[in-house]
Amino acid sequence: EVSVEGATMTEDFDEFGFRRETKGDSLYRNEKLAASILRKREKKWRDMLEPKAWEYSMTKGRKKVKSRCRKGIPQSLRGLAWQHLSGSHVLMNQSPGLYEVTLQNEPLQNEPLQV
């Protein structure tokens, strides 16, 4: 339930906290997708995240990437997909092991930050 200025209304939210729209809205369907559709999407994402395929997707297939992002990134590939979408995978390849070295050189601070 959501209360706004004394009025209470019940709204339906998905597992990510987004408000669900009416059942007729094709972008925000309340019903769950069939497992076969989810498997097909996951395979498409896996294929797209391959190095040569990703290079093509970022140069000539940007509309396809945008469309697939809007349909949803499969849960199992979100971390990898966001590395590619943000470009951090390129930085990681340019400086392999930098994160581990940084962790070893910087002692963990257990003290709260002073603001």
Side-chain angles (χ1 to χ4, degrees):
E1 286 188 358
V2 178
S3 179
V4 179
E5 297 178 12
T8 303
M9 57 186 175
T10 303
E11 291 197 48
D12 192 18
F13 294 90
D14 66 10
E15 66 269 23
F16 303 108
F18 292 101
R19 185 174 51 86
R20 291 184 174 156
E21 299 294 329
T22 61
K23 190 168 181 138
D25 190 341
S26 63
L27 291 177
Y28 300 98
R29 289 171 285 172
N30 285 337
E31 60 271 357
K32 293 185 178 183
L33 293 173
S36 62
I37 293 173
L38 294 175
R39 282 193 299 273
K40 286 179 186 177
R41 282 187 185 169
E42 186 169 2
K43 181 177 181 341
K44 288 177 183 179
W45 271 95
R46 284 187 191 283
D47 293 344
M48 187 173 67
L49 290 171
E50 291 294 323
K52 287 184 181 180
W54 185 255
E55 189 176 318
Y56 174 81
S57 295
M58 288 287 88
T59 55
K60 297 182 181 171
R62 294 180 72 85
K63 286 184 180 181
K64 181 59 71 177
V65 174
K66 185 176 182 179
S67 170
R68 287 187 180 157
C69 285
R70 286 185 171 169
K71 287 182 180 179
I73 302 170
Q75 188 69 31
S76 62
L77 297 172
R78 285 201 181 148
L80 185 60
W82 279 110
Q83 281 184 355
H84 281 70
L85 290 165
S86 69
S88 68
H89 71 292
V90 174
L91 296 174
M92 286 176 48
N93 291 337
Q94 289 175 350
S95 305
L98 179 62
Y99 179 72
E100 290 77 14
V101 169
T102 303
L103 285 178
Q104 291 173 358
N105 292 337
E106 294 291 324
L108 294 176
Q109 304 272 335
N110 289 331
E111 302 168 13
L113 293 175
Q114 297 292 327
V115 181

